[in-house]
Amino acid sequence: SDPVLAADGLTKHFPVRHAGRRRKAVHAVDAVDLQLRRGRVVALVGESGSGKSTVARLLAQLYPATSGRVLLHGEPVAVKFGRRFRAYCRRVQLIFQDPFASLNPVHTVGYVLRRSLRIHHPGLSGQELHQRLCGLLEKVHLNPPERFLDKFPHELSGGQRQRIAIARALGANPEVLLADEPVSMLDVSIRLGVLNLLAELKDDLDLAILYITHDIASARYFAEQTVVMYAGRVVERGDSEDVTQRPAHPYTKLLIASAPDPDALGGGEAPPARGEPPSLISPPTGCRFHPRCPQAMDRCRTETPGFFPVRDGHEAACWLYADEGGTS
Ligand code: ATP
Ligand code: SF4
Ligand code: MG
């Protein structure tokens, strides 16, 4: 199917002040391409600071890109405010890492969901609203719904709070969910339940999901496609099974080798691969991974690798995979 939402060369520079110096910028995201399709999950994986959340915020239009475009059903999304922007927000919903921070502590579950439904479906009668509201709670398996309507966020477990945040997003009838580390703040024992819920909703509602995570093992379990980012750039992408079991890019290999336990879901934050992530104010030239790469060659220091095919639908931005005599 055609992508619902796509990133086309998305780039984001955050200006920073340097006393007495010329203005500089954090090169947080550089020329990222990404396609989300209905009924499919794409995992966006990378260590802290690699630009994952910035990609999600650009896709959600929370701030403008420095360059590149966001495409909804193939059409560039350019309208930032007004009616068309609100329509966009309805179709593309964000779910954050910390459900406690994203739910206002003074509002009950009923209030939060009712407000989401009212904003997105203004014409509903009181009765219809109540039915929809209970339907949302059932959809995220909070049963019986009446039990949750008058609860405040602090009266719920972390997993229940995240389910409420998901229900609130569903109130908009979205086509796309951008889930930014939706389970990383939750107890390991309940992560699987929330991921299974997202997988179920994806099938039932034919959602396109971007699943952001540090945890490459969960990407294999939960996402059809895996995209690996390093220092603001996509370095590898392909079928999740393939990328996680037969990684091609030296960074992906290090990420997997340093994951706590590749078969245990949700081992927490993976320890960083050997060495430190680079400064994004003056990122390394050529391949941004070259200072840490055990296989770096001369050209890696000066020339930026494009994508080279590894297998069917699996590609890596690494000179090791350049065709013999290739020029790109
Ligand atoms: P984490 O796994 O820790 O959530 P991430 O992959 O989501 O990391 P981002 O939050 O996208 O990474 O950040 C990418 C880079 O951009 C980082 O160097 C970060 O410090 C920088 N950055 C993000 N937001 C801003 C901002 N609003 N202003 C300045 N720099 C920012
Ligand atoms: Fe390593 Fe070079 Fe490949 Fe970059 S392009 S990952 S430095 S071998
Ligand atoms: Mg983040």
Side-chain angles (χ1 to χ4, degrees):
S1 64
D2 289 336
V4 194
L5 191 65
D8 173 26
L10 273 189
T11 298
K12 183 70 179 174
H13 296 170
F14 294 108
V16 287
R17 263 180 236 288
H18 264 258
R21 294 256 191 97
R22 222 189 277 156
R23 254 164 87 106
K24 293 191 171 185
V26 177
H27 295 234
V29 167
D30 187 46
V32 167
D33 291 338
L34 204 66
Q35 279 111 37
L36 303 177
R37 293 183 164 76
R38 295 203 80 158
R40 293 175 67 80
V41 179
V42 172
L44 187 58
V45 183
E47 68 198 328
S48 196
S50 55
K52 305 180 297 297
S53 296
T54 305
V55 168
R57 293 197 180 104
L58 290 168
L59 287 173
Q61 300 280 300
L62 294 188
Y63 38 55
T66 306
S67 62
R69 302 180 303 172
V70 176
L71 306 170
L72 183 70
H73 294 289
E75 295 288 321
V77 180
V79 184
K80 183 86 181 72
F81 301 105
R83 201 144 32 101
R84 284 188 56 195
F85 179 60
R86 286 199 297 279
Y88 181 84
C89 294
R90 197 150 61 227
R91 291 154 100 172
V92 179
Q93 291 280 314
L94 257 169
I95 291 167
F96 298 95
Q97 180 173 24
D98 182 359
F100 208 51
S102 64
L103 295 173
N104 190 327
V106 307
H107 292 153
T108 62
V109 167
Y111 178 92
V112 167
L113 298 183
R114 215 171 283 125
R115 192 177 50 180
S116 161
L117 286 169
R118 277 220 190 91
I119 292 172
H120 298 298
H121 310 281
L124 294 180
S125 72
Q127 168 105 28
E128 287 169 325
L129 204 59
H130 184 77
Q131 266 169 11
R132 290 252 200 156
L133 204 154
C134 292
L136 283 178
L137 287 166
E138 280 164 4
K139 265 230 152 345
V140 297
H141 303 308
L142 293 175
N143 285 308
E146 286 77 14
R147 227 188 80 203
F148 291 91
L149 292 180
D150 297 325
K151 294 248 196 282
F152 289 94
H154 72 266
E155 298 176 287
L156 302 171
S157 70
Q160 289 171 337
R161 283 198 290 267
Q162 195 57 294
R163 284 167 195 266
I164 297 296
I166 293 167
R168 177 177 58 186
L170 295 181
N173 268 343
E175 295 174 87
V176 181
L177 279 189
L178 306 172
D180 192 353
E181 310 212 36
V183 299
S184 58
M185 302 261 301
L186 304 180
D187 249 35
V188 174
S189 60
I190 60 170
R191 286 181 186 174
L192 192 56
V194 174
L195 288 184
N196 283 341
L197 170 67
L198 286 171
E200 183 187 311
L201 295 170
K202 170 200 72 169
D203 290 337
D204 283 1
L205 306 173
D206 204 26
L207 293 172
I209 298 184
L210 180 68
Y211 168 59
I212 293 179
T213 183
H214 282 99
D215 177 17
I216 195 161
S218 72
R220 179 187 173 202
Y221 164 81
F222 177 54
E224 284 85 8
Q225 224 214 350
T226 293
V227 174
V228 182
M229 278 186 82
Y230 180 78
R233 285 185 184 153
V234 173
V235 295
E236 179 160 8
R237 62 184 164 219
D239 195 67
S240 293
E241 181 72 15
D242 214 30
V243 169
T244 58
Q245 299 307 104
R246 290 170 291 279
H249 195 282
Y251 172 66
T252 314
K253 289 181 181 170
L254 271 180
L255 195 65
I256 290 171
S258 60
D261 176 355
D263 288 321
L265 180 76
E269 189 163 327
R274 197 182 68 134
E276 287 294 309
S279 154
L280 294 178
I281 292 179
S282 46
T285 53
C287 171
R288 287 187 179 177
F289 189 55
H290 84 252
R292 291 165 79 183
C293 181
Q295 284 159 285
M297 305 165 279
D298 279 345
R299 73 186 309 185
C300 304
R301 291 173 242 285
T302 52
E303 295 175 65
T304 301
F307 281 95
F308 299 103
V310 180
R311 271 172 221 100
D312 275 352
H314 180 174
E315 42 186 16
C318 170
W319 287 120
L320 293 171
Y321 299 89
D323 290 342
E324 308 269 296
T327 50
S328 61

